[in-house]
Amino acid sequence: MFTSRKTLLNMEDDGDSSVLFNSSNTYVAIGDTLNTELDSFSSFTLAFWVYVIPSSTVQTIFNVRKDSDEYLWFYENAGAITWRFKNASDTDNVAANSAGKIPFYTWTHVALTADGSGGSSRTCVQYNNGVAQTMSTNTTDIDITIGTAGHAQVGAINGGTSWGGYMSDIALYGANLSAANIVTLYNQGEYFDHNNDPNKISNLKLWYKMGEGDGYGSNEVIDHSDSNFHGTLNNALITEFSPGDE
């Protein structure tokens, strides 16, 4: 049984721990400043906790988008996560697809890593609860340059194809984290403080706790990294439900 984040942080009873998306026009809007940051990445890691409520449609986890021709999009369908990359010179590319599915109605820690050490060639790996998954597809000629104009959103793409379920602790690193780093982030299912990591994992670019420490009574989602990519809740609900509250 996981230890509740509220317990670990000695939070009051009104401490919030995740965001509930109702799969209909709900998302966290980040704006276009993250696009500029992502354009400078050769590698990245996106890590987060999700509680999936199954849907008959695709559900967006995270996307950064200039327009219909340039974007980076992660979405879930029937428990499988697909990574879709596209830039102005490419056709629509499914960069990676994991054969390891996320179970429904339970909290799962997911980390998506992309290694850009080979230039435009990227090795993509997905980890579920700290364990590397078999990748069923892996496109190798991917450029994640998406332009600086546009928007980034958690839980939707262009306001639609929304997530249905809960999300907590979303962290974006401008580096391809190692398998050992991912195990550290998973932290045996307990709360992990990305700003006070004893292993000194570097290049933290964004950290949304998705509830804890955010703007209570407002729709603000605070970026707890040094980047200040603060977000805005749209129709989503901050809740006290978190890993440990199965």
Side-chain angles (χ1 to χ4, degrees), residues 30 33-34 36-38 40-41 171-174 195 203-208 221-231:
I30 306 174
T33 52
L34 185 60
T36 303
E37 188 75 25
L38 271 172
S40 67
F41 293 177
L172 177 67
Y173 286 82
N195 284 326
N203 293 309
L204 178 65
K205 299 299 183 181
L206 179 147
W207 178 23
Y208 287 165
V221 177
I222 296 172
D223 178 10
H224 294 269
S225 76
D226 293 331
S227 303
N228 295 317
F229 293 128
H230 305 309

Side-chain angles (χ1 to χ4, degrees), residues 95-214:
N97 190 288
S98 171
K101 295 188 176 183
I102 301 171
F104 299 140
Y105 300 116
T106 188
W107 282 101
T108 303
H109 183 265
V110 179
L112 311 173
T113 68
D115 175 16
S117 61
S120 62
S121 176
R122 281 177 172 77
T123 300
C124 302
V125 180
Q126 176 178 325
Y127 297 82
N128 293 350
N129 291 337
V131 178
Q133 305 297 299
T134 300
M135 307 304 291
S136 58
T137 59
N138 188 356
T139 302
T140 58
D141 185 17
I142 294 297
D143 180 355
I144 61 172
T145 301
I146 52 178
T148 57
H151 66 261
Q153 293 178 340
V154 175
I157 182 167
N158 202 29
T161 318
S162 299
W163 178 257
Y166 299 83
M167 290 192 199
S168 186
D169 284 338
I170 298 173
L172 177 67
Y173 286 82
N176 173 45
L177 300 188
S178 68
N181 290 154
I182 301 303
V183 170
T184 297
L185 298 187
Y186 170 53
N187 200 30
Q188 296 300 309
E190 297 184 351
Y191 172 79
F192 181 79
D193 186 344
H194 293 267
N195 284 326
N196 292 288
D197 169 33
N199 294 321
K200 304 301 181 185
I201 298 173
S202 60
N203 293 309
L204 178 65
K205 299 299 183 181
L206 179 147
W207 178 23
Y208 287 165
K209 295 183 180 182
M210 302 293 275
E212 297 163 3
D214 288 330

